[in-house]
Amino acid sequence: MQTLERLFAQKLLSVKAVKIQPANPFTWASGWKSPIYCDNRKTLSYTELRNFVKLEISRLILEEFPEAEAIAGVATGAIAQGALVADTLNKPFVYVRSSPKDHGLENLIEGDLAPGTKVVVIEDLISTGGSSLKAVQALQNYGCEVVGMIASFTYGFDIAKEAFKQSGVRLITLSNYNVVLEEALATHYIKEEDLPILQAWRKDPATWTGK
């Protein structure tokens, strides 16, 4: 029986949601250079895959965070998936902006939640963990109790692991970098000679240049 992380990795690769190009690295918003880019938002365009993600996240919430009373999506990548999960579980939904709007009500959290509400946060991917935990902090400042976070994918960086450990927030992911690489190699999505570069980047992404 295949594990969830391996099955989801296969599904991501099947719709080419994972872009791997060591010879022509991507530049992240942080300025980091990366030979890989995982675009989980592509899963929304495929009915079967969209439903798979929605149902698996819903199942994980019921099994791992049964006390959850509401769902929060992190803008912008997890808004749609979070809303789908909230609808499936028949729970209230809000989403958290990266910064307050500069007009209108200037909201940081969009939607209604009562202080003390137990919330599960939905995220599309985890890199350093900074923006994800910023959303957690916003909910906590609002008076809510964040019982955990579920993300579609994590790069598994040590900096993120430490950040989540320090925050006390339990993180569960559908798949991760190592499993995606294993599946990409097994299905010839990448070449054997690409592997050392991808592994080297994973060890020190902040200073990796691709050269």
Side-chain angles (χ1 to χ4, degrees):
M1 183 176 177
Q2 287 186 312
T3 62
L4 171 59
E5 60 185 12
R6 198 162 297 283
L7 183 57
F8 186 51
Q10 292 169 358
K11 291 180 180 294
L12 287 174
L13 294 170
S14 72
V15 298
K16 294 181 170 55
V18 180
K19 302 293 185 184
I20 301 175
Q21 47 188 59
N24 184 26
F26 301 96
T27 301
W28 287 1
S30 62
W32 287 8
K33 296 291 184 181
S34 170
I36 184 172
Y37 188 87
C38 185
D39 185 5
N40 290 293
R41 282 169 277 200
K42 284 193 72 172
T43 63
L44 294 167
S45 299
Y46 299 87
T47 307
E48 182 180 349
L49 183 49
R50 182 177 68 227
N51 286 331
F52 174 86
V53 175
K54 174 188 72 176
L55 293 174
E56 287 300 323
I57 292 177
S58 298
R59 177 185 62 80
L60 286 169
I61 291 172
L62 291 174
E63 291 178 358
E64 305 294 338
F65 307 111
E67 71 274 31
E69 299 169 324
I71 308 300
V74 179
T76 58
I79 293 177
Q81 202 64 64
L84 288 167
V85 168
D87 189 59
T88 299
L89 297 176
N90 195 32
K91 294 186 182 296
F93 175 73
V94 301
Y95 69 85
V96 186
R97 296 176 176 274
S98 58
S99 58
K101 287 194 302 184
D102 59 3
H103 60 281
L105 297 176
E106 300 182 350
N107 290 337
L108 181 58
I109 299 173
E110 298 288 3
D112 285 329
L113 280 180
T117 301
K118 293 180 172 63
V119 182
V120 168
V121 179
I122 306 300
E123 180 63 288
D124 65 333
L125 66 82
I126 306 294
S127 52
T128 65
S131 59
S132 304
L133 290 172
K134 185 178 178 182
V136 169
Q137 187 65 58
L139 289 162
Q140 292 172 333
N141 290 344
Y142 193 73
C144 295
E145 179 184 346
V146 176
V147 298
M149 179 182 295
I150 298 179
S152 294
F153 178 83
T154 179
Y155 288 101
F157 297 139
D158 289 339
I159 187 174
K161 292 177 183 177
E162 183 60 27
F164 274 90
K165 180 180 178 181
Q166 292 297 322
S167 72
V169 176
R170 185 181 174 203
L171 172 66
I172 297 174
T173 61
L174 300 188
S175 195
N176 59 72
Y177 184 73
N178 290 338
V179 173
V180 165
L181 279 196
E182 290 170 7
E183 288 300 319
L185 192 60
T187 57
H188 307 293
Y189 197 91
I190 60 173
K191 300 174 183 177
E192 188 80 40
E193 54 265 34
D194 292 331
L195 202 55
I197 297 174
L198 293 164
Q199 291 172 332
W201 170 79
R202 170 64 183 73
K203 291 177 182 177
D204 190 12
T207 60
W208 187 85
T209 62
K211 299 179 180 177

